[in-house]
Amino acid sequence: MAKVSFNVNGESRALDLDTRTTLLDALREHLLLTGSKKGCDHGQCGACTVMVNGRRINSCLTLAVMHEGDAITTIEGLGMPGHLHPLQQAFIKHDGYQCGYCTPGQIVSAVAVLDEIKAGIPSHVSADLNAIPQVAEAELRERMSGNICRCGAYSNIVDAITEVAGSKG
Amino acid sequence: MKPFTYERAQSPAEAAAAAARIAGAKFIAGGTNLLDLMKLEIETPAHLIDVNGLKLDTIEATAEGGLRIGALARNTDLAADPRVRRNYGLLSRALLAGASGQLRNKATTAGNLLQRTRCPYFYDTNQPCNKRQPGSGCAAIGGFSRQHAVLGVSENCIATQPSDMAVAMMALDATVETVRADGATRKIPIADFYRAPADTPETETVLAPGELILAVTLPKPVGGKHIYHKVRDRASYAFALVSVGAIVQRDGSGRAALGGVAHKPWRIAAAEAEMPRGAKAVAERLLAGATPTHENAFKLPLVERTLAAVLSDARA
């Protein structure tokens, strides 16, 4: 067992955990934040995506004890019924899901993707490494490739992200 | 996952000393590969030494005009560093061609170099694998071997090193800086870093047990066009079947290293000397002595065609 304290969605949380507990299991099983989903549990599907200190990661591939003092944002921290995040609203409007299991990971990832583009981080499909990356369909598809949707809602997901990116100007 | 004890190291020397002192200890940084393997009980460390607090994440200019990349610099930060984008575009391109955004945010420079093979038989604990369980045999030889190595293989292992970043590091003549438990540091040229599988495929690098990577250093930029061309089964988030990392100068001379074909990024000086003569001449030298299986023989023409695409891009 090991102690760890971190901030989740603005609240300080202290836990005493088996060292083997992943951040995902700490969030879901210990803090009952079940929005983040366990899909593959091997970093391949992206359903577990959360932000740690503002950066998206696979919460299934990191140990909770490795996050002492970190600030974690889950889908619950982005928005809840009644006060949805613009991307949550856009996923509903554009029908960016069918079964919905991958959706929390898709939305957290999408929020981070727009931040990464704004920060000027290039991608595999950026034609010029030294130019400012643009919000374009090819960029969004490449940057979202770590989030799998087996229902195949990808085109609607791209539409939802594009709308929010555009409205941010 | 097997139980393990955990500590947060406070200094590189302390981390290396702890690794030497505690049997079955391993360092953990990004953890994206190690935890995956621990869940499958392919890796079963008794103790984890968390090195994330060691402040080895800076990227600094060197006196020689190069860059010293801290072992803990995350793949995203390294790929996005303005100096890397400007002067070592091959490295940015290789990093961005690998993994997913989430993984690149966590994965470190040293961890990327040390990632294990994605051979499906290494991952399947019901199958023999000399890398996972020395002496048990190799199920890939005679098995499904489409992804496997065609160069530098042994009768004990035909696994590939899957890192895209390492291909760029090889073409850029990077040096790996380490510290050992006794405090001694050393600098290992990337060309000497990976060991051939031979009779001990479980030992993949020349690092001693407990030796900790501190940084990877790049010599001063060499100019030229920087191209990383990765051929894979999906357009994104897949390992290479074949990749070519190249730096091509205006006169047609240059450097080229291959990924996806061996236990290490494959680079041959005699092949680079042929670059002005074209892809066929380079491929012939690079692939000399290749021993493909019936399932991965396609990699040989694929190497030549990928090289041709790279040289054509360089001229454009």
Side-chain angles (χ1 to χ4, degrees):
Chain A
M1 301 294 279
K3 289 187 194 312
V4 65
S5 305
F6 41 58
N7 184 296
V8 183
N9 301 330
E11 261 180 72
S12 295
R13 311 300 296 251
L15 294 168
D16 197 6
L17 298 169
D18 186 310
T19 53
R20 291 172 288 184
T21 312
T22 62
L23 179 58
L24 176 62
D25 285 342
L27 293 169
R28 287 182 53 86
E29 310 297 333
H30 296 266
L31 300 177
L32 307 180
L33 292 166
T34 53
S36 307
K37 295 293 186 276
K38 184 179 283 192
C40 68
D41 208 25
H42 287 279
Q44 297 172 4
C45 76
C48 68
T49 303
V50 302
M51 283 193 274
V52 174
N53 303 330
R55 302 175 68 147
R56 59 181 170 146
I57 67 164
N58 300 112
S59 64
C60 75
L61 280 190
T62 191
L63 297 170
V65 291
M66 293 167 69
H67 291 282
E68 180 66 33
D70 283 348
I72 295 146
T73 305
T74 69
I75 187 70
E76 293 91 343
L78 287 180
M80 295 290 279
H83 54 100
L84 294 178
H85 185 280
L87 262 159
Q88 291 171 318
Q89 199 73 61
F91 267 63
I92 295 168
K93 177 178 165 187
H94 290 277
D95 207 12
Y97 47 81
Q98 282 183 41
C99 81
Y101 196 80
C102 73
T103 311
Q106 297 277 0
I107 292 176
V108 174
S109 200
V111 170
V113 160
L114 295 181
D115 290 344
E116 288 165 15
I117 292 175
K118 202 180 264 181
I121 295 169
S123 86
H124 174 63
V125 299
S126 304
D128 180 352
L129 277 181
N130 297 297
I132 296 163
Q134 304 297 310
V135 177
E137 179 173 344
E139 283 282 359
L140 295 177
R141 285 181 178 272
E142 162 61 25
R143 290 170 190 268
M144 291 294 292
S145 72
N147 291 84
I148 310 298
C149 169
R150 288 298 76 153
C151 299
Y154 296 113
S155 57
N156 293 355
I157 291 171
V158 169
D159 289 348
I161 302 171
T162 304
E163 177 177 294
V164 173
S167 68
K168 274 187 174 173
Chain B
M1 215 185 296
K2 298 281 189 196
F4 55 85
T5 50
Y6 169 86
E7 71 175 291
R8 295 182 190 112
Q10 304 301 323
S11 75
E14 182 194 305
R21 194 175 60 243
I22 303 161
K26 268 196 174 288
F27 302 121
I28 188 163
T32 53
N33 189 211
L34 181 57
L35 283 168
D36 183 23
L37 294 169
M38 285 170 64
K39 288 181 182 191
L40 297 164
E41 299 189 356
I42 294 165
E43 295 274 15
T44 54
H47 183 72
L48 284 183
I49 302 164
D50 184 342
V51 296
N52 284 292
L54 299 188
K55 301 189 169 50
L56 297 173
D57 54 358
T58 55
I59 304 171
E60 310 164 310
T62 66
E64 293 75 32
L67 274 188
R68 185 174 183 273
I69 302 156
L72 294 170
R74 308 288 155 171
N75 287 177
T76 298
D77 297 320
L78 184 56
D81 185 281
R83 295 160 295 186
V84 176
R85 286 152 74 174
R86 194 168 56 241
N87 299 323
Y88 305 96
L90 172 58
L91 180 55
S92 279
R93 287 293 183 196
L95 284 161
L96 295 170
S100 66
Q102 289 96 316
L103 291 169
R104 290 192 297 270
N105 279 342
K106 205 88 185 74
T108 63
T109 305
N112 191 321
L113 284 180
L114 295 175
Q115 66 177 298
R116 311 293 307 272
T117 186
R118 269 33 175 222
C119 172
Y121 300 104
F122 174 71
Y123 267 77
D124 182 349
T125 52
N126 296 308
Q127 298 282 342
C129 170
N130 289 320
K131 196 183 270 301
R132 175 168 33 77
Q133 199 177 349
S136 62
C138 174
I141 296 172
F144 294 104
S145 56
R146 182 170 174 275
Q147 301 175 322
H148 290 75
V150 296
L151 289 158
V153 301
S154 78
E155 59 186 15
N156 300 301
C157 183
I158 58 170
T160 56
Q161 217 298 334
S163 170
D164 292 295
M165 186 196 77
V167 178
M169 292 296 193
M170 185 69 82
L172 290 165
D173 283 333
T175 302
V176 182
E177 206 180 299
T178 68
V179 62
R180 282 183 274 192
D182 61 3
T185 60
R186 63 170 172 156
K187 292 177 177 177
I188 308 163
I190 187 82
D192 301 333
F193 185 73
Y194 294 105
R195 285 179 79 263
D199 295 333
T200 53
E202 71 278 14
T203 309
E204 294 168 352
T205 71
V206 298
L207 295 181
E211 191 170 1
L212 178 71
I213 298 177
L214 295 173
V216 177
T217 301
L218 299 177
K220 70 176 186 195
V222 295
K225 276 206 177 177
H226 287 224
I227 299 170
Y228 188 72
H229 195 123
K230 179 174 180 179
V231 182
R232 45 185 160 174
D233 287 331
R234 289 192 301 260
S236 184
Y237 199 17
F239 289 97
L241 292 167
V242 160
S243 71
V244 173
I247 301 173
V248 186
Q249 304 295 343
R250 205 171 291 223
D251 63 2
S253 69
R255 306 173 178 188
L258 302 178
V261 296
H263 61 282
K264 64 173 182 179
W266 199 257
R267 187 177 170 201
I268 306 280
E272 289 182 357
E274 301 287 341
M275 281 180 70
R277 293 186 52 219
K280 189 172 166 51
V282 181
E284 264 173 24
R285 293 291 183 104
L286 272 172
L287 300 174
T291 52
T293 67
H294 67 287
E295 287 197 349
N296 68 13
F298 73 91
K299 288 193 177 190
L300 306 189
L302 189 55
V303 164
E304 185 185 327
R305 289 169 192 168
T306 309
L307 273 163
V310 165
L311 295 179
S312 164
D313 278 1
R315 282 192 301 271

PDB file of all heavy atoms in Angstrom, chain B residues 265-286:
ATOM      1  N   PRO B 265      17.678   0.147 -35.279  1.00  0.00           N
ATOM      2  CA  PRO B 265      17.609   0.910 -36.524  1.00  0.00           C
ATOM      3  C   PRO B 265      18.811   0.530 -37.384  1.00  0.00           C
ATOM      4  O   PRO B 265      19.928   0.454 -36.876  1.00  0.00           O
ATOM      5  CB  PRO B 265      17.713   2.368 -36.047  1.00  0.00           C
ATOM      6  CG  PRO B 265      17.315   2.339 -34.612  1.00  0.00           C
ATOM      7  CD  PRO B 265      17.789   1.014 -34.091  1.00  0.00           C
ATOM      8  N   TRP B 266      18.570   0.239 -38.663  1.00  0.00           N
ATOM      9  CA  TRP B 266      19.608  -0.355 -39.513  1.00  0.00           C
ATOM     10  C   TRP B 266      20.246   0.727 -40.370  1.00  0.00           C
ATOM     11  O   TRP B 266      19.589   1.360 -41.190  1.00  0.00           O
ATOM     12  CB  TRP B 266      18.959  -1.427 -40.388  1.00  0.00           C
ATOM     13  CG  TRP B 266      19.928  -2.399 -40.971  1.00  0.00           C
ATOM     14  CD1 TRP B 266      20.385  -2.421 -42.257  1.00  0.00           C
ATOM     15  CD2 TRP B 266      20.537  -3.510 -40.297  1.00  0.00           C
ATOM     16  NE1 TRP B 266      21.253  -3.482 -42.415  1.00  0.00           N
ATOM     17  CE2 TRP B 266      21.369  -4.162 -41.231  1.00  0.00           C
ATOM     18  CE3 TRP B 266      20.469  -4.007 -38.987  1.00  0.00           C
ATOM     19  CZ2 TRP B 266      22.117  -5.289 -40.910  1.00  0.00           C
ATOM     20  CZ3 TRP B 266      21.218  -5.127 -38.667  1.00  0.00           C
ATOM     21  CH2 TRP B 266      22.023  -5.761 -39.617  1.00  0.00           C
ATOM     22  N   ARG B 267      21.533   0.924 -40.180  1.00  0.00           N
ATOM     23  CA  ARG B 267      22.252   1.970 -40.924  1.00  0.00           C
ATOM     24  C   ARG B 267      23.616   1.430 -41.316  1.00  0.00           C
ATOM     25  O   ARG B 267      24.325   0.866 -40.478  1.00  0.00           O
ATOM     26  CB  ARG B 267      22.409   3.210 -40.023  1.00  0.00           C
ATOM     27  CG  ARG B 267      22.994   4.408 -40.753  1.00  0.00           C
ATOM     28  CD  ARG B 267      23.070   5.636 -39.860  1.00  0.00           C
ATOM     29  NE  ARG B 267      23.857   6.660 -40.556  1.00  0.00           N
ATOM     30  CZ  ARG B 267      24.464   7.672 -39.966  1.00  0.00           C
ATOM     31  NH1 ARG B 267      24.374   7.827 -38.651  1.00  0.00           N
ATOM     32  NH2 ARG B 267      25.154   8.529 -40.685  1.00  0.00           N
ATOM     33  N   ILE B 268      23.968   1.574 -42.598  1.00  0.00           N
ATOM     34  CA  ILE B 268      25.213   1.013 -43.133  1.00  0.00           C
ATOM     35  C   ILE B 268      25.940   2.109 -43.913  1.00  0.00           C
ATOM     36  O   ILE B 268      25.382   2.672 -44.857  1.00  0.00           O
ATOM     37  CB  ILE B 268      24.899  -0.166 -44.116  1.00  0.00           C
ATOM     38  CG1 ILE B 268      24.011  -1.214 -43.448  1.00  0.00           C
ATOM     39  CG2 ILE B 268      26.179  -0.770 -44.685  1.00  0.00           C
ATOM     40  CD1 ILE B 268      24.707  -2.187 -42.545  1.00  0.00           C
ATOM     41  N   ALA B 269      27.179   2.398 -43.526  1.00  0.00           N
ATOM     42  CA  ALA B 269      27.942   3.480 -44.168  1.00  0.00           C
ATOM     43  C   ALA B 269      28.090   3.242 -45.669  1.00  0.00           C
ATOM     44  O   ALA B 269      27.933   4.177 -46.475  1.00  0.00           O
ATOM     45  CB  ALA B 269      29.312   3.606 -43.513  1.00  0.00           C
ATOM     46  N   ALA B 270      28.352   1.995 -46.060  1.00  0.00           N
ATOM     47  CA  ALA B 270      28.565   1.697 -47.486  1.00  0.00           C
ATOM     48  C   ALA B 270      27.302   1.967 -48.300  1.00  0.00           C
ATOM     49  O   ALA B 270      27.372   2.325 -49.481  1.00  0.00           O
ATOM     50  CB  ALA B 270      28.998   0.241 -47.650  1.00  0.00           C
ATOM     51  N   ALA B 271      26.138   1.802 -47.668  1.00  0.00           N
ATOM     52  CA  ALA B 271      24.878   2.073 -48.370  1.00  0.00           C
ATOM     53  C   ALA B 271      24.697   3.572 -48.572  1.00  0.00           C
ATOM     54  O   ALA B 271      24.252   4.015 -49.636  1.00  0.00           O
ATOM     55  CB  ALA B 271      23.706   1.493 -47.580  1.00  0.00           C
ATOM     56  N   GLU B 272      25.050   4.349 -47.565  1.00  0.00           N
ATOM     57  CA  GLU B 272      24.891   5.809 -47.670  1.00  0.00           C
ATOM     58  C   GLU B 272      25.783   6.383 -48.763  1.00  0.00           C
ATOM     59  O   GLU B 272      25.414   7.358 -49.422  1.00  0.00           O
ATOM     60  CB  GLU B 272      25.196   6.459 -46.318  1.00  0.00           C
ATOM     61  CG  GLU B 272      24.099   6.149 -45.326  1.00  0.00           C
ATOM     62  CD  GLU B 272      24.296   6.795 -43.971  1.00  0.00           C
ATOM     63  OE1 GLU B 272      25.332   7.459 -43.756  1.00  0.00           O
ATOM     64  OE2 GLU B 272      23.403   6.624 -43.132  1.00  0.00           O
ATOM     65  N   ALA B 273      26.923   5.756 -48.960  1.00  0.00           N
ATOM     66  CA  ALA B 273      27.824   6.231 -50.015  1.00  0.00           C
ATOM     67  C   ALA B 273      27.165   6.112 -51.385  1.00  0.00           C
ATOM     68  O   ALA B 273      27.540   6.800 -52.334  1.00  0.00           O
ATOM     69  CB  ALA B 273      29.123   5.435 -49.975  1.00  0.00           C
ATOM     70  N   GLU B 274      26.163   5.241 -51.493  1.00  0.00           N
ATOM     71  CA  GLU B 274      25.471   5.020 -52.775  1.00  0.00           C
ATOM     72  C   GLU B 274      24.297   5.983 -52.985  1.00  0.00           C
ATOM     73  O   GLU B 274      23.643   5.929 -54.033  1.00  0.00           O
ATOM     74  CB  GLU B 274      24.937   3.578 -52.847  1.00  0.00           C
ATOM     75  CG  GLU B 274      25.991   2.491 -52.720  1.00  0.00           C
ATOM     76  CD  GLU B 274      26.847   2.373 -53.971  1.00  0.00           C
ATOM     77  OE1 GLU B 274      26.426   2.861 -55.034  1.00  0.00           O
ATOM     78  OE2 GLU B 274      27.956   1.806 -53.881  1.00  0.00           O
ATOM     79  N   MET B 275      24.015   6.831 -52.018  1.00  0.00           N
ATOM     80  CA  MET B 275      22.790   7.645 -52.114  1.00  0.00           C
ATOM     81  C   MET B 275      22.689   8.473 -53.396  1.00  0.00           C
ATOM     82  O   MET B 275      21.607   8.546 -53.987  1.00  0.00           O
ATOM     83  CB  MET B 275      22.581   8.490 -50.857  1.00  0.00           C
ATOM     84  CG  MET B 275      21.987   7.631 -49.744  1.00  0.00           C
ATOM     85  SD  MET B 275      21.676   8.463 -48.196  1.00  0.00           S
ATOM     86  CE  MET B 275      20.318   9.538 -48.621  1.00  0.00           C
ATOM     87  N   PRO B 276      23.770   9.070 -53.866  1.00  0.00           N
ATOM     88  CA  PRO B 276      23.624   9.830 -55.128  1.00  0.00           C
ATOM     89  C   PRO B 276      23.243   8.934 -56.300  1.00  0.00           C
ATOM     90  O   PRO B 276      22.738   9.431 -57.320  1.00  0.00           O
ATOM     91  CB  PRO B 276      25.017  10.449 -55.323  1.00  0.00           C
ATOM     92  CG  PRO B 276      25.626  10.471 -53.948  1.00  0.00           C
ATOM     93  CD  PRO B 276      25.103   9.240 -53.270  1.00  0.00           C
ATOM     94  N   ARG B 277      23.460   7.623 -56.192  1.00  0.00           N
ATOM     95  CA  ARG B 277      23.166   6.713 -57.316  1.00  0.00           C
ATOM     96  C   ARG B 277      21.716   6.221 -57.301  1.00  0.00           C
ATOM     97  O   ARG B 277      21.275   5.576 -58.255  1.00  0.00           O
ATOM     98  CB  ARG B 277      24.121   5.523 -57.301  1.00  0.00           C
ATOM     99  CG  ARG B 277      25.578   5.924 -57.608  1.00  0.00           C
ATOM    100  CD  ARG B 277      26.480   4.719 -57.722  1.00  0.00           C
ATOM    101  NE  ARG B 277      25.965   3.733 -58.648  1.00  0.00           N
ATOM    102  CZ  ARG B 277      26.023   2.423 -58.455  1.00  0.00           C
ATOM    103  NH1 ARG B 277      26.575   1.936 -57.353  1.00  0.00           N
ATOM    104  NH2 ARG B 277      25.538   1.593 -59.346  1.00  0.00           N
ATOM    105  N   GLY B 278      20.990   6.471 -56.216  1.00  0.00           N
ATOM    106  CA  GLY B 278      19.574   6.123 -56.224  1.00  0.00           C
ATOM    107  C   GLY B 278      19.203   4.985 -55.292  1.00  0.00           C
ATOM    108  O   GLY B 278      20.057   4.318 -54.695  1.00  0.00           O
ATOM    109  N   ALA B 279      17.894   4.751 -55.182  1.00  0.00           N
ATOM    110  CA  ALA B 279      17.332   3.848 -54.192  1.00  0.00           C
ATOM    111  C   ALA B 279      17.790   2.398 -54.359  1.00  0.00           C
ATOM    112  O   ALA B 279      18.052   1.702 -53.376  1.00  0.00           O
ATOM    113  CB  ALA B 279      15.802   3.919 -54.240  1.00  0.00           C
ATOM    114  N   LYS B 280      17.897   1.964 -55.617  1.00  0.00           N
ATOM    115  CA  LYS B 280      18.223   0.551 -55.846  1.00  0.00           C
ATOM    116  C   LYS B 280      19.615   0.231 -55.299  1.00  0.00           C
ATOM    117  O   LYS B 280      19.811  -0.776 -54.608  1.00  0.00           O
ATOM    118  CB  LYS B 280      18.161   0.264 -57.357  1.00  0.00           C
ATOM    119  CG  LYS B 280      18.278  -1.202 -57.704  1.00  0.00           C
ATOM    120  CD  LYS B 280      18.001  -1.389 -59.199  1.00  0.00           C
ATOM    121  CE  LYS B 280      18.406  -2.751 -59.716  1.00  0.00           C
ATOM    122  NZ  LYS B 280      17.885  -3.876 -58.955  1.00  0.00           N
ATOM    123  N   ALA B 281      20.555   1.143 -55.586  1.00  0.00           N
ATOM    124  CA  ALA B 281      21.928   0.932 -55.127  1.00  0.00           C
ATOM    125  C   ALA B 281      22.006   0.968 -53.600  1.00  0.00           C
ATOM    126  O   ALA B 281      22.708   0.153 -52.978  1.00  0.00           O
ATOM    127  CB  ALA B 281      22.839   1.995 -55.731  1.00  0.00           C
ATOM    128  N   VAL B 282      21.276   1.894 -52.993  1.00  0.00           N
ATOM    129  CA  VAL B 282      21.281   2.012 -51.521  1.00  0.00           C
ATOM    130  C   VAL B 282      20.648   0.771 -50.901  1.00  0.00           C
ATOM    131  O   VAL B 282      21.191   0.178 -49.956  1.00  0.00           O
ATOM    132  CB  VAL B 282      20.521   3.278 -51.064  1.00  0.00           C
ATOM    133  CG1 VAL B 282      20.559   3.402 -49.545  1.00  0.00           C
ATOM    134  CG2 VAL B 282      21.111   4.529 -51.706  1.00  0.00           C
ATOM    135  N   ALA B 283      19.503   0.361 -51.453  1.00  0.00           N
ATOM    136  CA  ALA B 283      18.782  -0.790 -50.906  1.00  0.00           C
ATOM    137  C   ALA B 283      19.632  -2.063 -50.992  1.00  0.00           C
ATOM    138  O   ALA B 283      19.646  -2.882 -50.071  1.00  0.00           O
ATOM    139  CB  ALA B 283      17.452  -0.980 -51.633  1.00  0.00           C
ATOM    140  N   GLU B 284      20.342  -2.213 -52.111  1.00  0.00           N
ATOM    141  CA  GLU B 284      21.179  -3.417 -52.272  1.00  0.00           C
ATOM    142  C   GLU B 284      22.201  -3.541 -51.151  1.00  0.00           C
ATOM    143  O   GLU B 284      22.409  -4.619 -50.596  1.00  0.00           O
ATOM    144  CB  GLU B 284      21.907  -3.366 -53.624  1.00  0.00           C
ATOM    145  CG  GLU B 284      21.176  -4.138 -54.692  1.00  0.00           C
ATOM    146  CD  GLU B 284      21.800  -3.956 -56.073  1.00  0.00           C
ATOM    147  OE1 GLU B 284      23.003  -3.641 -56.149  1.00  0.00           O
ATOM    148  OE2 GLU B 284      21.035  -4.111 -57.058  1.00  0.00           O
ATOM    149  N   ARG B 285      22.825  -2.414 -50.809  1.00  0.00           N
ATOM    150  CA  ARG B 285      23.835  -2.425 -49.742  1.00  0.00           C
ATOM    151  C   ARG B 285      23.195  -2.582 -48.361  1.00  0.00           C
ATOM    152  O   ARG B 285      23.700  -3.311 -47.508  1.00  0.00           O
ATOM    153  CB  ARG B 285      24.661  -1.131 -49.759  1.00  0.00           C
ATOM    154  CG  ARG B 285      25.542  -0.966 -50.988  1.00  0.00           C
ATOM    155  CD  ARG B 285      26.677  -1.988 -50.964  1.00  0.00           C
ATOM    156  NE  ARG B 285      27.587  -1.809 -52.085  1.00  0.00           N
ATOM    157  CZ  ARG B 285      28.786  -1.245 -51.976  1.00  0.00           C
ATOM    158  NH1 ARG B 285      29.218  -0.799 -50.814  1.00  0.00           N
ATOM    159  NH2 ARG B 285      29.547  -1.117 -53.040  1.00  0.00           N
ATOM    160  N   LEU B 286      22.063  -1.875 -48.153  1.00  0.00           N
ATOM    161  CA  LEU B 286      21.398  -1.947 -46.836  1.00  0.00           C
ATOM    162  C   LEU B 286      20.887  -3.353 -46.547  1.00  0.00           C
ATOM    163  O   LEU B 286      20.914  -3.825 -45.412  1.00  0.00           O
ATOM    164  CB  LEU B 286      20.207  -0.982 -46.787  1.00  0.00           C
ATOM    165  CG  LEU B 286      20.487   0.450 -46.352  1.00  0.00           C
ATOM    166  CD1 LEU B 286      19.238   1.298 -46.563  1.00  0.00           C
ATOM    167  CD2 LEU B 286      20.916   0.528 -44.892  1.00  0.00           C
TER     168      LEU B 286
END
